[in-house]
Structures are given as C-alpha cells and as structure tokens.
Amino acid sequence: MDPIVIDELDLLARVSRLLAERPFVTGPKEGDLVNELVRLREEIPRAKEEDKGALMQQYHQHVSVLERIREGKQRAQVDPDSPYFAHLRLEENGQVRDLCLGKATRIEEGIRIVDWRNAPISKIFYRYSQGDDYEEELAGRSVIGEVLARRTVTIHGGELLRIDAPEGVWTTDGEQWTHRDRDAVRLRGGQGAALRAHGAGEGFDRRLGTDLEGNRRRQDKRLPDIAGLIDPEQFALITKPSSGFVVVRGSAGSGKTTVALHRIAWLAYEDPSINSERTLFIVFSSALRDYVGHVLPALGVENVGVTTFHAWAVEQRRRHFPSLPKAIREDTPAVVVRLKTHPVLMDALEEHIQRNKGPATGEQALDDWSSVLVHCDEILPPILAEKAPGAFSEAELQRAARWCRDRHAELVSWMEQVEVEQRPEMDAEDDALLLRAWQLRVGPLRRKGGASLTYRHVAIDEVQDFSPLEVRVLLDCTDEKKSITLAGDTQQHVMQESGFTSWEGFFRHLGVAGTTVSTLKISYRCSAEVIRFSMALLGDLREDEAMPVATRNGPPVELFQFTDHGACVAFLADVLEGLLHDEPLASVAILTPAAEVSRAYFDGLSHADVPRLRLVESQAFTFAPGVEITEIEQVKGLEFDYVVIVDAGASWFPDTPAARRLLHVAATRAVHQLWVCTTGSPSPVVREAIAEASAEPPGPDAPPSP
C-alpha cells in the first residue's frame, strides 16, 4: 500500500479512536453552578447592606461562567462519520505537525481539527500549495514554515474513500486501493459527450475552461450590439408595425431582449421622434439596466431612457403625491406584497372609484388608495370569490388589513404633524397602486410642468416578473397607437408575488385578450448540453414539447458532491486559480440560494486568495472579467462565460415549481460551461434533470441560416 494511503489511514484511525473514547467535550457541569445561583438569589435580599455588594459580584461572576458553559455546549461537534475534509502537514522551526480542516474544532491528545470557516491557520491550506514556504500573521504572531503535505480527503461513514494529493489520486472499492495520476487535461469540446455526475469526493481533477483563447474574448461583459447577427425570425418581430402589442416569448438566450432593443432602433429609423424621452425601455433590475444600457446608443438611439419600473414609479409617485414620505420600506410582509401586486387589488381599486364619486384631484386619489387598502378584508372577499378563489385565506386578508391600517395610522399622524416615534415609510408596491388611482380618478399622469405623460413606445423586458397592475399603468401612458413591446419567458418566472400565471391570464387582466404571442425557438446563449439540462430542471413546467434549438455543442454539465462546504471551497479555489490564469478575461458566476451562502463562499475563496473575486450585493455587477458571487435572483437576464451553482441540495431546492424555475434561471446564465455543486445529497430536481438530460441524444439541431 502506498505510504500516502497508509499515512492517511493512520491519521483517521487516531481521530476515530479519540472520538470513540471521548465522543464529545463535556465541559464543566451546570448543576452545581445553578444551585449556587439559587442560593445567592435567596440570600442577597436577607444579607446585610455591607455584604450585598460582594454577594452581587459573586452572583454575576457565576452567571457569566454559566453562559460560557452553555455557549460551549452549543458549539458544533466533530462528526465521527466525516470528521474532516483536508489534511495539512506543516514544518515550523524544525517541528512537524498535522492539521485537519473540518466543520468543527477539536484539539486534544495531539489531534488538531479546526473549523475551516474561522480558524486563522486554515488560510495556509487555501493560500499555499504543497512544497510552498509560507509566512502569515496568525493570532498576533508571525508564523513561518513549509507545507510538507496538502491533501483533500473524502470520509463517509467513518471510512476513508478517496485521497487527492499532488502525487496523485487514490480511491478504494472497500478492499483495494487504486492509484492514478492527476488528470491535468482541461475540459474542451464536448461533442457528443453525455452529462456526467461525480459522486462524493470524485471529480477533484476537473478543470473549468473550454479553450486557451480567453485573451481574445471581449473584456466588457455587457450585452453587445449584435445587429449584424439578427436571424430572420427576430428580424420579422423587430420590423412589425409600430402600433399595437408585440409580444416576444422565448427560452433563455433566444434573443428576447435583443429583439426589444433593436425594435426600438428600427422604429426610431422609421420615426425619428421615437428617439426621445417619449420612448421608455423598462427592465426588471438595476443589473439588467446596466447590462443593456449602452446598446441603444450604439444603435444610434441616444435619447431613450432605460430604467427599472421601481425607479420610474418612484419618480412619478413623488411628482404626483409630493406630500407622501420618500423613504421605501424594506421589511414589508410577504402577504402584503402579494396582495398589493395581485390583479384583484387593481379590480378593487377600479370598482371603488366607479362607485364613489369625488373630485378629480390627487387628494381624492390618495383617499381612494388608502380606503381600498385599509378595508381590504371587507372589499376583497366578493371579488376574490369571483375572480381568484383561494388566492388568499381569511386569515391572510386580516393580517394584510391590520398591516395596512397600522401603516395608514402612522402616515396620517405624520401628515397631520402629530408627533410620531419614527418617520413613516412607503411600501415599494404602493407606487403602482397610487399611480393607477391617479389615472382612474384624475386622468393621465403628468410630466414636469403639467403636460400629459405620453409615450410613443414602451418596451418591457422580463415581463413575466411584473404585475399586471404595473404593466397597466405603463400601458395607459402610451399614445393612441398603444405601441408596446413585451418580452418574457414564463419558465423563468421567479417573482411569485407578481400574480403572473399565464400569458392568457396576463392579457385578460390587462384588458387586451386575444393578443398573439410570438415564440423565438433558437437559443444562442447556451450550448446543447446546458439547454438539455436546464429544460429537464423544469419538468412539467416546460411549456413547449420541442426542445429549444441550440447553435452549438459544448462541455458537459457536471455535478460535484462534497461532504462539507470547506471541501467545496478548496476545490473551487484550485480550479478558479487555473482558469483565471489561462483565461484572464473570463467571467465566472458562482450562484447561491441565499445571501448568507454567498457571504460564506466569498469569505472562503477570499482566504484562498482567488484573484478578481467580488461579492455582488444589490445587483452591483461590474461586468468585468473575474469571479462574481451572488444569489440566483440577482442574475435574471444576465450571462457569464462560466457558471457554478453551489449548495444545490434539497433543503434549498425542494421539488417545487419555484425551486425548479430558480434552478432553470441559474443554469441558463452559462454561455460556455456549467457546474453544479452540492454538500450532501443533491436536490431531487437536480437528480431528475441529470437522469433526463443524460438520456437525451447528443448534438444540437441545425438552426436555420440567418
């Protein structure tokens, strides 16, 4: 047996023996301290005044000790089934010591296992390779030494299954160990390759990268002007007549946004007045605004505004209702958000204004808005019973009504200059409701100076994540031609509160039933492998039986399973370093299910000194080469050369429509290559997608000639 295998088996045996003999660190007993605290509490009231100070000090000291004992018991314990995932052997000042990285800390009887997330010494594992000399400032002192060994191990059920070291890779079938050299070949091509899934601890030698020509890729990762690459189907939509609705539907990467942008350029060529502030391009997020914002100027359309609905609506609301607070609340309950964006509230507002006569003033519109919200538990039940039965329970309506009444009371007190504890805030969803109330009660919205706010053309991207109310407000800002372009994909619908259920229902709420939806069938962004996997993620949510047409093949989608976050971080640190060295202009997205997961991976990869690493918050993308870590919700509409989805387990992604759509959005951000990583078992949605995608015939269908 190879000495490295013997070495690792011996280390695991010593750790397992310690954990078996002393399964957990018990620490001091609480009982005696609690009894003493009870005695002191009873004695202090009866003690002499001159003794009370000393007794109180003793009491507080015991309380402090008790708190430390209880905190210690709450700390994570080393798991005997998988006690660590990495092994370092260090030499410092002639002394050799072994150090293991895991999910908890245990330093006892010569065994050193540290929590990779907060132990300063774990930086050595992530920053240095085997054979490197290191010098680090740890715990206030300078540490100098050499990394004698740096290995990643897979331990499951207390058994060593795999060793990954610079000298090679060792695996066992339970009886015999097998050695092979590390495979340094990068992924490339992928013609006809099936989707691969690596078991726990496998695949450590895989590398991101499809070619070595990264230097020739464009440095600016925003959406380019691709007017010369428009295909016939896209061109037909771009050049449709200017009046009426043009609805563009298509899978991720099929060019929906491209069509919407280039349609504005086409209309502006036919009618130069389109190239003005009277044309509006509305996007879902600030990231998407920054992503596409330079395309129109590149097409010769410099005066059209590209903005988010939120930014546009805030500006309009402040102009039309200047007396309301400017601050936007960030902690609105989900049931209130869902209610304020649901189409039934638009119907309730319209019915209320029809039934209640009043002056055509902003003050009356404000009263209409507040009346419907404050009395929503009385007004909405009959409307819900007719148009959306089961959308809200009685308890949900009552909770929403209480919230609205409490916020309205705060608002009235503030507007009447009654002293309030804090300045009131508005819910972000109030803007569209207030603007709709103005349109119904007063008339068209107004520009600065009082003229009607009328647009020649409005385009809305990612429309499936807008509420019908928001789109209705924009629709009623267009002129008599009602020229509007809607682009979206219900398969990427992630804003569950918006009320979007189907195109047919969406148009019915807008009052434009019968509108034709044009479907783009060619996916230009993703390879055939990514398309098969991403469509399999949708399951029964797929809207078309036929698969989107891919224009090329690419590397296989791969699944990697790890026993611990630290092992995943170590793996990604190695492959990202290699990728960014070979392809310095590559853009990589590490997509997570939640902000706290993003922070954990950012901290871990920062310890590993991964270059050009950025944690993206509030959609502040740079669109520059490097590695950006963020949540899936933040990347709608964007694309990256490489995408790694992490923590794709069942706890974050159960088999629900929302989870399936979210994973689909994440997968379809990848232009060249997609990886999926899990700690523990993968989500059933991922497992199902692997099975289905693996059964698909390889190779894309031939697209029509552009």
Side-chain angles (χ1 to χ4, degrees):
M1 193 179 296
D2 193 281
I4 289 179
V5 176
I6 295 172
D7 188 27
E8 292 302 328
L9 287 172
D10 177 65
L11 175 61
L12 178 58
R14 289 189 287 125
V15 171
S16 299
R17 186 163 53 249
L18 170 66
L19 297 179
E21 294 173 355
R22 301 189 61 183
F24 59 89
V25 181
T26 58
K29 296 286 182 65
E30 290 185 29
D32 294 341
L33 270 175
V34 172
N35 291 336
E36 182 64 11
L37 284 169
V38 172
R39 185 190 67 78
L40 287 170
R41 189 174 61 187
E42 293 173 349
E43 183 179 343
I44 288 171
R46 301 194 299 266
K48 296 178 181 179
E49 286 299 324
E50 59 267 26
D51 296 332
K52 284 185 178 180
L55 291 172
M56 285 297 297
Q57 183 178 3
Q58 188 178 358
Y59 181 85
H60 289 307
Q61 288 174 343
H62 286 341
V63 168
S64 179
V65 172
L66 182 62
E67 288 176 350
R68 287 199 298 271
I69 291 173
R70 288 176 173 171
E71 286 175 3
K73 288 186 175 181
Q74 292 173 356
R75 293 193 189 104
Q77 300 291 333
V78 173
D79 181 4
D81 286 343
S82 182
Y84 55 92
F85 63 84
H87 172 207
L88 274 176
R89 179 163 293 145
L90 308 175
E91 182 178 5
E92 296 172 3
N93 300 321
Q95 299 288 323
V96 176
R97 59 174 175 151
D98 290 301
L99 176 75
C100 300
L101 272 62
K103 291 182 284 189
T105 297
R106 185 76 177 268
I107 301 176
E108 192 175 1
E109 296 184 6
I111 299 297
R112 297 180 183 88
I113 303 175
V114 298
D115 187 332
W116 71 276
R117 295 164 293 188
N118 52 34
I121 201 167
S122 66
K123 291 190 293 186
I124 295 175
F125 177 81
Y126 290 107
R127 291 181 176 177
Y128 299 92
S129 300
Q130 184 168 302
D132 285 351
D133 294 326
Y134 61 85
E135 181 175 357
E136 289 287 341
E137 190 76 19
L138 302 177
R141 65 187 183 92
S142 180
V143 177
I144 301 174
E146 180 185 354
V147 179
L148 300 180
R150 181 188 184 275
R151 302 164 188 163
T152 303
V153 297
T154 301
I155 302 170
H156 186 69
E159 298 292 330
L160 181 64
L161 303 179
R162 178 185 174 102
I163 305 165
D164 195 280
E167 296 87 348
V169 178
W170 288 264
T171 57
T172 180
D173 58 6
E175 296 181 359
Q176 188 174 6
W177 284 89
T178 303
H179 170 263
R180 65 181 175 86
D181 293 333
R182 289 184 63 119
D183 182 6
V185 177
R186 296 163 52 85
L187 288 174
R188 65 178 73 237
Q191 182 72 26
L195 182 136
R196 308 175 199 173
H198 301 287
E202 297 178 359
F204 283 98
D205 53 346
R206 307 307 294 157
R207 289 291 180 268
L208 281 171
T210 57
D211 57 61
L212 295 176
E213 300 181 359
N215 282 320
R216 282 189 266 176
R217 293 204 183 114
R218 56 190 173 88
Q219 187 161 0
D220 185 347
K221 301 299 180 178
R222 295 175 179 83
L223 186 68
D225 166 20
I226 55 173
L229 304 178
I230 297 296
D231 69 30
E233 189 176 22
Q234 293 170 333
F235 185 77
L237 291 171
I238 289 169
T239 57
K240 276 195 170 185
S242 60
S243 60
F245 277 65
V246 171
V247 183
V248 185
R249 168 183 170 267
S251 61
S254 59
K256 301 181 297 297
T257 304
T258 296
V259 167
L261 288 163
H262 286 69
R263 177 164 163 74
I264 290 176
W266 174 270
L267 295 176
Y269 179 79
E270 296 288 314
D271 179 2
S273 67
I274 294 290
N275 183 14
S276 70
E277 62 179 12
R278 295 189 64 192
T279 297
L280 191 64
F281 192 93
I282 294 289
V283 294
F284 173 69
S285 66
S286 57
L288 196 54
R289 176 199 61 204
D290 298 337
Y291 183 57
V292 305
H294 73 297
V295 174
L296 287 172
L299 294 172
V301 184
E302 300 89 359
N303 302 316
V304 171
V306 179
T307 185
T308 65
F309 179 82
H310 174 68
W312 178 86
V314 165
E315 179 185 353
Q316 304 306 323
R317 190 259 295 170
R318 290 176 179 174
R319 178 184 304 135
H320 291 80
F321 300 93
S323 62
L324 292 176
K326 293 183 178 180
I328 300 297
R329 188 178 292 107
E330 296 183 357
D331 61 349
T332 309
V335 67
V336 177
V337 173
R338 187 158 59 90
L339 178 71
K340 289 188 175 184
T341 56
H342 199 281
V344 296
L345 204 59
M346 179 169 61
D347 297 334
L349 188 61
E350 188 168 348
E351 287 187 18
H352 172 83
I353 292 174
Q354 288 176 349
R355 292 176 180 175
N356 295 274
K357 303 301 180 182
T361 63
E363 290 77 11
Q364 183 60 49
L366 184 60
D367 183 79
D368 297 327
W369 163 78
S370 60
S371 296
V372 170
L373 290 176
V374 167
H375 302 291
C376 63
D377 53 342
E378 303 169 11
I379 295 174
L380 288 180
I383 303 176
L384 283 167
E386 177 187 354
K387 298 186 175 182
F392 295 90
S393 67
E394 182 180 352
E396 287 176 325
L397 276 181
Q398 290 175 350
R399 286 203 307 273
R402 281 196 300 272
W403 170 270
C404 293
R405 281 193 282 269
D406 291 344
R407 302 293 80 77
H408 181 256
E410 293 173 358
L411 181 62
V412 170
S413 297
W414 178 74
M415 295 180 70
E416 293 178 353
Q417 298 184 344
V418 175
E419 186 175 349
V420 293
E421 293 183 2
Q422 62 182 26
R423 189 180 184 89
E425 299 171 321
M426 303 293 293
D427 292 337
E429 297 72 30
D430 287 326
D431 293 336
L433 285 167
L434 284 161
L435 295 176
R436 186 60 184 154
W438 179 288
Q439 289 175 327
L440 293 170
R441 178 63 74 179
V442 183
L445 300 181
R446 298 171 182 171
R447 297 182 181 273
K448 291 179 181 178
S452 294
L453 178 65
T454 306
Y455 292 107
R456 298 295 308 277
H457 183 79
V458 173
I460 306 175
D461 196 25
E462 301 290 351
V463 70
Q464 74 278 353
D465 285 318
F466 289 82
S467 71
L469 170 63
E470 292 167 340
V471 177
R472 183 73 214 190
V473 169
L474 290 166
L475 177 61
D476 281 8
C477 289
T478 56
D479 62 16
E480 67 281 356
K481 288 188 175 182
K482 299 299 179 188
S483 178
I484 192 165
T485 301
L486 305 179
D489 176 14
T490 56
Q491 296 172 143
Q492 299 181 64
H493 175 38
V494 298
M495 298 298 291
Q496 303 305 308
E497 298 85 3
S498 69
F500 193 108
T501 54
S502 65
W503 287 108
E504 181 182 357
F506 185 72
F507 294 137
R508 186 174 62 252
H509 291 308
L510 291 178
V512 289
T515 300
T516 301
V517 178
S518 301
T519 301
L520 297 173
K521 299 176 181 178
I522 303 174
S523 177
Y524 292 98
R525 176 189 301 149
C526 303
S527 65
E529 289 77 6
V530 171
I531 289 174
R532 288 198 297 273
F533 178 71
S534 65
M535 299 307 290
L537 287 169
L538 290 171
D540 293 339
L541 299 176
R542 275 179 58 177
E543 295 183 348
D544 299 311
E545 184 175 345
M547 189 76 65
V549 177
T551 60
R552 70 188 190 283
N553 283 101
V557 178
E558 299 192 60
L559 171 67
F560 299 87
Q561 299 179 60
F562 302 90
T563 56
D564 184 85
H565 283 95
C568 185
V569 168
F571 169 63
L572 291 177
D574 286 344
V575 298
L576 290 172
E577 183 180 1
L579 173 68
L580 296 178
H581 176 270
D582 293 336
E583 299 185 23
L585 296 184
S587 63
V588 184
I590 296 179
L591 302 183
T592 78
E596 59 268 27
V597 181
S598 298
R599 170 59 66 177
Y601 277 90
F602 176 76
D603 290 344
L605 292 172
S606 295
H607 283 312
D609 285 343
V610 172
R612 302 193 298 282
L613 182 70
R614 300 181 290 273
L615 177 65
V616 177
E617 298 175 305
S618 302
Q619 299 183 331
F621 292 91
T622 64
F623 303 105
V627 182
E628 297 189 295
I629 304 177
T630 194
E631 301 79 64
I632 297 171
E633 290 93 339
Q634 296 208 53
V635 295
K636 282 289 299 294
L638 308 183
E639 62 181 39
F640 302 86
D641 295 333
Y642 303 96
V643 170
V644 181
I645 306 171
V646 296
D647 272 26
S651 59
W652 287 111
F653 298 102
D655 191 353
T656 64
R660 285 181 175 275
R661 289 191 177 107
L662 205 58
L663 284 168
H664 174 77
V665 167
T668 52
R669 301 311 97 199
V671 174
H672 297 294
Q673 195 166 7
L674 171 66
W675 281 1
V676 183
C677 298
T678 70
T679 52
S681 298
S683 161
V685 177
V686 173
R687 287 200 303 267
E688 177 186 304
I690 287 171
E692 182 178 334
S694 298
E696 289 283 349
D701 297 324
S705 300

